Amino acid sequence: MENELSVIDVLIETHAGLERQGPGSREMTVKALSFLDNKNKILRVADLGCGSGGQTMVLAQNISGNIIALDQFTDFINILNDNAKKQNLQERVKGIVGFMDNLCFQKEEFDLIWSEGAIDSIGFEKGLTHWNSFLKKQGHIAVTCPSWLTDKHPEEIEKFWTDAGSGLDTIGNNISIMQKSGYSFVAAFTLPETCWTDNYFIPRAAAEKALLEKYASNEIVEAYIENSKYEVELFSKYKQYYGYVFYIGKKG
Ligand code: SAH
């Protein structure tokens, strides 16, 4: 059918109007920034998997350098560039469409590589390794990645993440992976529950409700929303076992 929605269409339409497309918050972005030394020497930043740029704007408000924000979805990048313009940040913040597993930047171009809620879609190790060469020596990396918080991994939630294409690892293993990928470890901290609930699940549910009204009885939309509800259910059941963790490292 010509007008049939795909799952990706539904995902984009649900998330485009949200401030963030995954768990996070302004406060946690600022907290992660506080671990970087020489913040006034940060001239070039890449924000990978930036979505519509919630955290990109926070970075721009706290760092005086230039930011290139990259995402695979044009709709998100258009929103980001519009917002940059509205905030008069268009000279310093540029959104571009691209793939974070195949970056076309120059070697050692960036002082800082940032990525919230995105690296797990290409794999923590693969992302850290690929991105390393684009970072200047002594440059920082800061990423959030869903991680196991305990050694026990209940089957139901493990299966959910595996089916979603993200194999979770423990914080300790991720720190070792970071060190093996060419970074010294700076800090790691877990995002609070409100980053998931107030900042992501609740606005997402409101957007989904509107979508369900717009596309009444569309099976793709219904199935998508069922899966989201299941994700929220699993979070309230298993949140002590997993969470989003910010990992901060330094090249070299
Ligand atoms: N950083 C934002 C968005 C997180 S959602 C926030 O925290 O709010 C994850 C984002 O990563 C999505 O916008 C998705 O389009 C993007 N993404 C996932 N895989 C990608 C890839 N291989 N290349 C570029 N972007 C990707």
Side-chain angles (χ1 to χ4, degrees):
M1 253 202 309
E2 210 182 301
N3 291 324
E4 203 169 329
L5 285 173
S6 70
V7 176
I8 296 289
D9 295 332
V10 180
L11 182 145
I12 293 173
E13 195 166 342
T14 309
H15 286 81
L18 307 183
E19 194 184 332
R20 309 196 56 119
Q21 286 74 40
S25 75
R26 166 177 293 272
E27 292 74 23
M28 292 303 116
T29 300
V30 170
K31 178 172 173 177
L33 270 174
S34 74
F35 292 100
L36 313 189
D37 40 51
N38 288 333
K39 262 216 290 291
N40 52 351
K41 291 203 180 129
I42 297 174
L43 303 178
R44 280 186 80 69
V45 182
D47 181 6
L48 306 177
C50 57
S52 64
Q55 74 292 318
T56 318
M57 297 307 156
V58 179
L59 292 175
Q61 288 151 8
N62 287 276
I63 292 175
S64 57
N66 292 329
I67 304 175
I68 295 184
L70 174 143
D71 201 278
Q72 62 187 339
F73 292 139
T74 311
D75 291 31
F76 293 166
I77 291 300
N78 289 343
I79 295 169
L80 184 148
N81 283 326
D82 284 349
N83 285 339
K85 226 178 190 164
K86 278 185 203 144
Q87 298 190 32
N88 209 17
L89 288 166
Q90 72 275 17
E91 295 302 319
R92 289 204 294 120
V93 176
K94 292 228 180 328
I96 60 168
V97 176
F99 293 97
M100 54 187 196
D101 45 353
N102 186 18
L103 298 176
C104 303
F105 301 122
Q106 286 168 31
K107 301 286 172 202
E108 306 203 353
E109 180 172 342
F110 297 103
D111 303 288
L112 174 61
I113 293 182
W114 205 268
S115 181
E116 293 194 37
I119 196 169
D120 57 301
S121 67
I122 62 167
F124 189 74
E125 181 165 9
K126 187 176 167 194
L128 289 184
T129 307
H130 178 47
W131 301 348
N132 189 283
S133 62
F134 301 98
L135 206 52
K136 286 182 195 157
K137 290 189 186 79
Q138 305 296 310
H140 283 93
I141 186 149
V143 303
T144 63
C145 189
S147 312
W148 293 120
L149 305 177
T150 61
D151 288 332
K152 194 175 157 209
H153 311 148
E155 210 179 309
E156 192 182 15
I157 184 65
E158 184 158 44
K159 180 174 184 319
F160 177 84
W161 281 105
T162 307
D163 290 350
S166 303
L168 266 53
D169 218 329
T170 59
I171 298 174
N173 284 346
N174 280 337
I175 292 172
S176 302
I177 290 170
M178 180 172 243
Q179 289 165 331
K180 271 189 285 183
S181 312
Y183 306 89
S184 55
F185 170 68
V186 174
F189 61 90
T190 305
L191 301 193
E193 197 180 321
T194 49
C195 284
W196 294 77
T197 51
D198 297 7
N199 292 1
Y200 183 51
F201 286 157
I202 292 173
R204 186 180 72 179
E208 287 171 348
K209 189 163 173 272
L211 216 63
L212 209 50
E213 283 161 16
K214 181 173 167 189
Y215 299 105
S217 352
N218 180 302
E219 284 176 14
I220 305 271
V221 174
E222 283 175 356
Y224 181 86
I225 293 174
E226 271 316 302
N227 192 53
S228 289
K229 284 188 181 154
Y230 182 53
E231 183 190 8
V232 176
E233 210 179 287
L234 288 181
F235 181 73
S236 60
K237 198 166 161 188
Y238 295 115
K239 62 191 171 199
Q240 71 270 35
Y241 298 102
Y242 69 104
Y244 260 87
V245 174
F246 236 120
Y247 297 92
I248 297 131
K250 190 170 183 175
K251 179 170 172 175

